[in-house]
Amino acid sequence: MSKSSPKKSSSPKSRAGQSKAGATPSVRISLPLLGGALLGLVGVILTLWWIVNRRPVFDGESAYTYLVKQCEFGARAPNSAGHKACKNFLVSELKKLCDRVSEQPFTYTDRRDTGLVFQAVNIVGSFKPEAQQRILLCAHWDTRPVADRDSLPANRTKPILGANDGASGVAALLEIARCLKQRAPAVGVDIVFFDLEDMGENRVAGSEDTSKTTPFCIGSEKFAEMNPVYRPIYGVLLDMIGDKDLRIPQEAISSINAPRLVEKVWKAASDVGATAFVKVRGDTVGDDHLPFLRRNIAVIDLIDFDYPYWHTLADTPDKCSAKSLEQVGRVLLHLLYTEPVP
Ligand code: ZN
């Protein structure tokens, strides 16, 4: 033994760790240290899992900003400057968020005045465009050219701003796109903005001759015609879902033609506590879901038709709320993220 041997005696732990001459050195790790390291590792794994799997949250305020932004273009009636500017905005926003964006232009010739041709476009933003199993989310982006239900006769030839009737559904879907950009669901998703929904003339009671009247839902009919092989597993249409006093009953045509989908959506609403969704039969509404139902594609219409400012100049952003948009958006996100992996 040399003189340089430590004077102080080693602790039992360090002594036990010393190797004998010629034996393989062994490393002793303190159990508390090992436990701490393991716990830390589990924490890191859980944090990574949470980051990868957490669901983005639908932000009602963000959706409301999208609603206001559309209204800042003014009325978006076909062939107007507001229509063109808003179309450019929607395409540019979707391009920031979706995997693929396409414009599907078409024209519509007035039935009475064949010299009057409307330049229109349906806008499609897709997530996972390669996925076979797809869900359609849609809304109309045009606004009505005439406020024909306004209480003041002088206003009835003016175009509406369409904060609720037009901008609300689109706003919710842009916010959905912002969420899907953060995390794509297992299924493919197509967000479609239909043009020319709201130019229709209300038929005079008793008159069946529609050959000279302008129909509603021109853009969605055109979309179904132009995409004959498109078969989403189901679709949800949003229309007038921004009302501050939101109450969404089960639209009658949807309930009759796609009862299981209605049930599924109301179950999702119950899961997320969206109390605006009420389980009562609503009105029959001719809307953009009809061209799909006629082709046996289940698409339902989420609509609060009890809106006193409908087709009047008073359909402005102050009649809408972030909270209402948020309820609908959270239901849709819940649906998308709980769809089984195809
Ligand atoms: Zn309308």
Side-chain angles (χ1 to χ4, degrees), residues 140 144 160 165 197-198 216 239-240 310-311:
H140 76 88
R144 187 159 182 79
I160 70 165
D165 191 359
E197 187 275 341
D198 223 347
F216 286 87
D239 197 1
M240 297 168 66
W310 178 55
H311 291 180

Side-chain angles (χ1 to χ4, degrees), residues 2-317:
S2 74
K3 287 181 180 174
S4 64
S5 296
K7 288 173 185 171
K8 288 181 184 172
S9 63
S10 303
S11 70
K13 279 181 187 169
S14 61
R15 268 205 313 272
Q18 286 171 352
S19 60
K20 290 178 183 170
T24 307
S26 68
V27 177
R28 295 291 298 256
I29 299 171
S30 118
L31 278 178
L33 264 179
L34 183 64
L38 276 174
L39 271 178
L41 185 64
V42 169
V44 169
I45 289 170
L46 283 176
T47 305
L48 286 174
W49 183 90
W50 180 79
I51 287 170
V52 170
N53 290 288
R54 72 180 160 164
R55 289 183 189 175
V57 177
F58 186 100
D59 181 350
E61 293 295 338
S62 169
Y64 186 77
T65 305
Y66 283 129
L67 181 153
V68 172
K69 179 72 186 175
Q70 291 171 78
C71 293
E72 284 172 355
F73 294 113
R76 282 90 64 210
N79 284 6
S80 69
H83 186 261
K84 192 173 180 182
C86 187
K87 189 273 282 184
N88 291 339
F89 165 72
L90 297 176
V91 170
S92 120
E93 283 304 298
L94 287 179
K95 281 186 174 170
K96 290 180 204 164
L97 304 169
C98 301
D99 296 327
R100 190 173 71 195
V101 177
S102 62
E103 297 176 49
Q104 300 190 352
F106 61 97
T107 56
Y108 176 79
T109 304
D110 189 87
R111 289 177 175 176
R112 287 198 198 92
D113 176 2
T114 53
L116 180 56
V117 177
F118 294 96
Q119 304 297 326
V121 60
N122 291 326
I123 305 165
V124 185
S126 297
F127 291 88
K128 289 193 172 177
E130 73 290 349
Q132 292 293 310
Q133 301 263 50
R134 314 199 60 76
I135 291 172
L136 166 69
L137 302 177
C138 48
H140 76 88
W141 72 273
D142 63 310
T143 52
R144 187 159 182 79
V146 287
D148 48 348
R149 292 181 62 89
D150 203 284
S151 57
L152 287 178
N155 287 342
R156 290 178 193 158
T157 52
K158 296 176 184 169
I160 70 165
L161 197 57
N164 191 25
D165 191 359
S168 69
V170 170
L173 294 183
L174 284 173
E175 175 60 14
I176 293 265
R178 197 188 65 78
C179 294
L180 298 187
K181 166 84 175 166
Q182 294 168 52
R183 184 188 155 204
V187 290
V189 177
D190 300 302
I191 289 174
V192 182
F193 298 147
F194 299 125
D195 205 348
L196 302 200
E197 187 275 341
D198 223 347
M199 288 206 312
E201 292 169 85
N202 296 304
R203 257 182 276 165
V204 178
S207 160
E208 292 305 317
D209 181 16
T210 58
S211 63
K212 295 288 182 191
T213 58
T214 307
F216 286 87
C217 307
I218 297 168
S220 51
E221 182 63 44
K222 203 74 187 170
F223 178 85
E225 277 174 33
M226 290 169 75
N227 302 276
V229 296
Y230 180 59
R231 306 293 296 183
I233 48 179
Y234 65 80
V236 180
L237 168 68
L238 307 184
D239 197 1
M240 297 168 66
I241 47 93
D243 185 356
K244 264 183 179 168
D245 176 27
L246 189 67
R247 182 179 179 275
I248 304 177
Q250 298 174 331
E251 189 273 326
I253 301 174
S254 306
S255 291
I256 293 165
N257 292 278
R260 279 188 298 177
L261 180 56
V262 167
E263 201 174 301
K264 182 187 179 91
V265 171
W266 260 255
K267 164 77 169 57
S270 164
D271 288 349
V272 301
T275 52
F277 288 68
V278 290
K279 277 191 180 180
V280 297
R281 175 66 63 92
D283 292 322
T284 295
V285 185
D287 211 341
D288 287 322
H289 56 329
L290 300 188
F292 297 94
L293 290 173
R294 281 197 286 269
R295 290 164 175 83
N296 293 318
I297 299 171
V299 177
I300 65 166
D301 189 11
L302 301 185
I303 185 165
D304 176 0
F305 212 44
D306 182 14
Y307 183 60
Y309 315 104
W310 178 55
H311 291 180
T312 75
L313 293 194
D315 181 5
T316 46

